[in-house]
């Protein structure tokens, strides 16, 4: 069969064959070989940017890779300046992969990857999806994502879908009428896997539950479902497993870097140690022991076009105690650092705490389909939700009691029933947002 996906990468200047060969070599290193590879790549990427990137040279001053822990922590604000000021010597807009972050962190920016680095990103994707029998050249994807709505952007994305052997289900309208159309497609098309935003796929599963349908029974070619970009709660994972009848795999990535962690067949969230170096640091930028939470800081070991060295991605996580340099395991992803609610008592609580508390109660009767929480003042929160029926006072009282118990008393909540919830321009649902 024609390997259309690989060919399209090659034609766009991304040397996928070379990248696959290098990745395979890294994966098969012994422990000693890997330790040497990691040390060399860290030194090499820092030295390259100190010599060829004025932006990074000014940031790092006289620090070198030999004093790794003294190298500056790069943040998203640092990167919010024209790309021309951040590009390394020898690279131009014509010779790079250019994209922009989604802005879900509140700090969007344009970034560049050299073409070999981007080919390695694809090689890494191909390898990990391959763990579950998915081949990008031949496997047919049911894609739950946003899509640009301007004519050129729309057509471009549809053409990429064709080359990538995928059928796109746009997620901006997820009403029952639209979900019914999605369902009909699964009856007529031989999909191999689902891939897309967690909240959209969960909503589709809720629709299937309502109709008492298990998707594998009407689309027996399905092998797996991959969810990304938003948190997957344990209760939602169980729902997906029940309504799909296939393995549910979580991935965690960032467009400016790569896949950061990907659930392996043993159910571990395996960190990508082949193209990235991941650190967990405390507030003073010191490494924390495995098993301790801290901010996630990542170095892209291959990207020469744009420095991502000790880059604070804006997330908080914990590495498992059994992690090794060659096989780090992400034990828990706690959420984004800017998704923290500050309460009147001075207590700080991850925004997802509210989501957990309200989710369990709201979903008891299956009435509420989706909801988001906004903090508008220190003691004031708005919950917007989509449901068949308005929440009744008993349900609201239960939520308030749970919040008193898990967070603190005397917080004010308003509940607004909506027909549509606000999503990002890419179709992501941001579950908690602080406006403080």
């Amino acid at each position: 069969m024609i390997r259309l996906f690989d060919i399209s990468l090659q034609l766009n200047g991304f040397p996928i064959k070379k990248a696959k060969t290098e990745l395979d070599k890294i994966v098969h290193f012994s422990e000693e070989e890997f330790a040497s590879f990691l040390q060399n790549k860290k030194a090499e990427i820092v030295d390259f940017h100190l010599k060829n990137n004025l932006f990074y040279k000014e940031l790092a001053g006289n620090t070198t890779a030999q004093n790794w822990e003294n190298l500056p922590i790069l943040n998203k604000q640092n990167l919010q300046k024209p790309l021309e000021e951040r590009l390394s010597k020898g690279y131009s807009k014509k010779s790079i992969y250019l994209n922009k972050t989604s802005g879900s962190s509140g700090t969007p920016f344009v970034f560049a990857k050299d073409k070999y680095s981007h080919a390695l990103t694809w090689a890494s994707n191909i390898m990990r999806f391959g763990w579950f029998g998915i081949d990008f050249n031949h496997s047919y994807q049911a894609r739950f994502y946003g899509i640009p709505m301007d004519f050129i952007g729309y057509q471009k994305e549809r053409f990429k879908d064709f080359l990538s052997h995928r059928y796109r289900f746009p997620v901006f309208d997820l009403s029952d009428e639209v979900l019914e159309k999605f369902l009909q497609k699964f009856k007529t098309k031989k999909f191999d896997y689902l891939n897309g935003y967690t909240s959209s796929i969960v909503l589709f599963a809720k629709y299937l539950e309502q109709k008492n349908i298990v998707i594998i029974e009407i689309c027996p070619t399905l092998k797996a479902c991959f969810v990304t970009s938003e948190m997957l709660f344990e209760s939602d994972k169980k729902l997906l497993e029940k309504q799909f009848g296939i393995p549910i795999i979580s991935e965690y990535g960032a467009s400016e870097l790569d896949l950061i962690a990907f659930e392996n067949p043993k159910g571990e969230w395996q960190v990508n140690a082949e193209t990235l170096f991941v650190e967990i640091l405390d507030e003073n930028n010191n490494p924390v022991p495995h098993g301790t939470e801290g901010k996630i800081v990542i170095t892209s070991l291959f990207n020469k076009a744009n420095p991502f060295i000790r880059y604070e991605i804006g997330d908080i996580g914990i590495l498992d105690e059994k992690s090794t340099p060659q096989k780090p395991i992400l034990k828990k992803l706690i959420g984004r650092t800017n998704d923290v609610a500050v309460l009147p008592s001075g207590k700080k609580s991850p925004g997802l705490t509210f989501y957990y508390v309200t989710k369990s109660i709201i979903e008891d009767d299956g009435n509420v389909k989706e909801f988001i929480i906004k903090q508008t003042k220190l003691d004031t929160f708005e919950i917007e939700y989509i449901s068949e029926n308005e929440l009744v006072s008993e349900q609201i009282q239960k939520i308030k009691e749970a919040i008193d118990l898990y967070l603190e008393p005397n917080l004010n909540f308003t509940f607004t029933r909506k027909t549509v919830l606000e999503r990002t321009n890419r179709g992501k649902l941001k579950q908690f947002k602080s406006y403080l």
Side-chain angles (χ1 to χ4, degrees), residues 56-177:
Y56 189 70
K57 174 70 186 151
E58 284 175 358
L59 207 66
N62 297 320
T63 320
T64 66
Q66 278 63 50
N67 301 322
W68 184 264
E69 285 176 17
N70 293 329
L71 284 169
I73 302 297
L74 191 63
N75 61 39
K76 296 188 181 197
Q77 283 77 20
N78 296 144
L79 297 163
Q80 282 189 314
K81 51 169 63 186
L83 183 66
E84 290 79 358
E85 294 175 28
R86 291 182 278 119
L87 268 184
S88 299
K89 210 186 294 175
Y91 291 95
S92 69
K93 283 191 175 179
K94 286 181 181 173
S95 65
I96 55 167
Y97 168 75
L98 185 67
N99 206 339
K100 59 176 179 288
T101 64
S102 66
S104 57
S105 63
T107 318
F109 60 89
V110 174
F111 66 89
K113 282 184 183 178
D114 66 80
K115 292 205 165 182
Y116 183 60
S117 167
H118 192 56
L120 272 167
T121 292
W122 276 115
S124 167
N125 274 303
I126 289 163
M127 178 184 80
R128 285 170 167 80
F129 276 79
W131 292 344
F132 297 91
I134 302 303
D135 175 350
F136 286 178
N137 285 290
H138 307 129
S139 300
Y140 195 22
Q141 179 192 143
R143 186 172 182 81
F144 285 70
Y145 268 75
I147 192 165
M149 296 318 283
D150 63 288
F151 181 77
I152 292 171
Y154 183 88
Q155 297 304 333
K156 203 172 163 184
E157 213 59 40
R158 286 294 189 196
F159 182 61
K160 274 160 67 178
D161 287 343
F162 166 73
L163 291 176
S164 305
H165 204 43
R166 60 199 189 200
Y167 182 89
R168 187 179 298 246
F169 296 94
V171 298
F172 299 117
D173 178 0
L174 294 168
S175 59
D176 282 1
E177 295 76 20

Side-chain angles (χ1 to χ4, degrees), residues 386-404:
I386 295 176
S387 67
E388 302 284 330
N389 309 301
E390 195 96 27
L391 283 177
V392 296
S393 56
E394 289 87 346
Q395 288 169 306
I396 289 172
Q397 188 54 37
K398 264 190 186 176
I399 292 168
K400 286 183 172 171
E401 283 166 13
I403 285 164
D404 284 359

Side-chain angles (χ1 to χ4, degrees), residues 4-39:
L4 198 57
F5 187 77
D6 284 7
I7 291 166
S8 67
L9 286 172
Q10 210 73 47
L11 289 174
N12 280 302
F14 303 115
I16 191 65
K17 278 185 190 169
K18 186 183 169 193
K20 281 182 177 180
T21 304
E22 175 148 21
L23 188 72
D24 189 58
K25 193 172 136 192
I26 298 167
V27 167
H28 290 100
F29 278 150
S30 68
E31 206 176 311
E32 294 75 21
E33 286 169 333
F34 184 82
S36 169
F37 154 80
L38 183 57
Q39 197 176 340

Side-chain angles (χ1 to χ4, degrees), residues 298-354:
I298 302 178
T299 298
S300 179
L301 297 171
F302 288 88
N303 190 1
K304 291 181 173 175
N306 201 159
F308 286 100
I309 296 167
R310 306 198 86 206
Y311 164 59
E312 189 178 334
I313 190 167
D315 291 339
I316 301 166
I318 301 172
L319 282 181
D320 199 290
E321 291 84 345
K322 64 174 181 267
S323 296
T324 66
Q326 198 165 5
K327 191 184 171 184
I329 302 294
L330 189 63
K331 186 176 189 175
K332 199 172 180 190
L333 184 63
I334 293 160
R336 304 201 80 88
T337 46
N338 67 338
D339 287 347
V340 173
V342 181
L343 305 177
S345 66
K347 180 179 173 181
K348 289 182 180 176
S349 192
L352 286 170
T353 312
F354 292 88

